[in-house]
Amino acid sequence: MSFIATSNPGTAQKDIISNDGFFPDISIQTLRDKTRIDGTVTDDRLIDATVAAIIHVNNQLQTFRQKQMDAGYQHMAEVPAAQVNQSSVLIAHYFRAVYCTAKADLIERYADYDTTATSLDDKKLVGWLSSGPDEQRRNAQWAISDIIGRSHVTVELI
């Protein structure tokens, strides 16, 4: 019988990763819940992957950020945008980009787990790993594209 921890005590101390002031801060617990990352991923590893994801996404949105700040918006939440569930769609896309990028990084780093799926818990792990970092990165890029108003696919005739 194998044991998989499903929560990490002590997360509350370092639950929020502060961002640059323009983009929203990221809650580690919310990221865990939304991406179904369980306690087998330690807080330290999740924080490391999330910080790297924030850096990557913020770099991708550097021009967007500067344009909005030049227009007088000091925070992404201030930028006029459609609202869904009483929140800016830009914020929703930003969270998705960060969450998907962090999960892709974690999937790649946890790929050295046994993938023979000899138990029910192993089968769940294999399913988690098989969702693939490529799909997560695609979702992140689509979210970034939605923020900057770029289409998801570019097709050119040769």
Side-chain angles (χ1 to χ4, degrees), residues 4 37 40 48-49 52 56 87-89 92 151:
I4 295 180
I37 296 173
T40 56
D48 182 52
H56 174 75
S87 181
S88 166
V89 296
S151 64

Side-chain angles (χ1 to χ4, degrees), residues 14-34:
K14 47 189 171 180
D15 182 51
I16 302 295
I17 296 178
S18 59
N19 212 325
D20 67 358
F22 179 80
F23 295 111
D25 296 342
I26 302 293
S27 163
I28 292 299
Q29 190 56 51
T30 302
L31 188 152
R32 274 189 192 281
D33 293 343
K34 299 232 181 207

